[in-house]
Amino acid sequence: MSDLVRSTPRGPWDLAGKTVAVAGGGSVAPGWSIGRAACVTYARLGATVLVLDRDLSSAQETARFITEEGGEAYAYEADMAREQDIVDTFRSLAMRHAPLDVLHHNVGIGKTGGPMETSAEDLDRIHSVNVKSLMLSCQAVLPSMVERRTGVIISIASVAGLRYLGYPHLAYCTTKAAVIQMTRMIAQQYAPYGIRANTVIPGLIDTPRVTANVAHMFADNLDEAKAERARQVPMQRMGTAWEVANACAFLASDSASYITGTELLVDGGLVGKFV
Ligand SMILES: NC(=O)c1ccc[n+]([C@@H]2O[C@H](COP(=O)([O-])OP(=O)(O)OC[C@H]3O[C@@H](n4cnc5c(N)ncnc54)[C@H](O)[C@@H]3O)[C@@H](O)[C@H]2O)c1
């Protein structure tokens, strides 16, 4: 076998033998959230998947999808808003599943409103889940990644971290912007240790959370609300959780071995649009 052939992964995004932890791998409502679709995609590519969520039953449901397909997955309850929970969870993962190859930080919460509608407590709570937990999770996984001179960090931001989406969503937008920059900073500092860190930036994705919480902002009728959201996108449709998951899988794999400190937009062209 030539060196050229040997250096090409078996599948384009092969994850066989890798262990991936997804923080926020459940779903706030039944169906395919981004974290759940990512967990299943990682498993289909051969990874062992550790599903973390504050909602244990939701994490277990994700793990069940995987094991029913013959994959390997374990569910853990972890509240990423609580520092001690993060420390304890990653310590126990290190004992049971070490080494961890990929950290996928998926948790994200928000509250609509601008500065007058957002309390200091709201901002602190949203910052804790969206930003502080990313740093604390990285603190937990980086030492062993440094020791092994390999590792991947994938964070999930949002187009809301880059653009005003037509309604005030101050705490969400600013914390998602912070996710992007925090990931870039980590990527720069840890690149010499063989660790890659990138952000996936989803656009308007049709997940159960959107049906439950976001769609009503566009219209009273859910179908009309979703159609209005779709019309905003140059591709004229919302994305699926699977389309975001595919981008994550690529970044997690060795096919992305020279990609770090950057962002991958999965937005149907939304951010490039003028109006
Ligand atoms: N759906 C979209 O249109 C969209 C667009 C851009 C970005 N995103 C981002 O993608 C990610 C997933 O979004 P989704 O739409 O699939 O929503 P989701 O709310 O279903 O997924 C988030 C998961 O994180 C979990 N979670 C929330 N707070 C937690 C905490 N403190 N500790 C542990 N787990 C916690 C939830 O239980 C849920 O399972 C989020 O970061 C979101 O901001 C979504």
Side-chain angles (χ1 to χ4, degrees), residues 54 78-83 85-86 125 128-129 132-133 136:
R54 71 175 166 195
D79 184 350
M80 304 300 288
R82 292 161 47 93
E83 180 170 2
D85 244 34
I86 297 174
R125 179 174 54 84
S128 277
V129 174
K132 194 168 151 194
S133 76
L136 295 172

Side-chain angles (χ1 to χ4, degrees), residues 26-28 34 53 78-80 106 172 176 203 205 207 209 229:
S27 179
V28 286
I34 291 170
D53 208 285
D79 184 350
M80 304 300 288
N106 190 76
Y172 185 71
K176 288 297 189 179
I205 310 301
T207 64
R209 173 169 83 141
R229 206 165 131 92

Side-chain angles (χ1 to χ4, degrees), residues 18 90-91 133 136 147 154 172-173 213 222 234 254 260 275:
K18 309 254 190 212
F90 281 101
R91 189 172 292 147
S133 76
L136 295 172
E147 208 173 293
I154 297 170
Y172 185 71
C173 294
N213 302 336
L222 181 61
D254 291 344
T260 197
V275 283

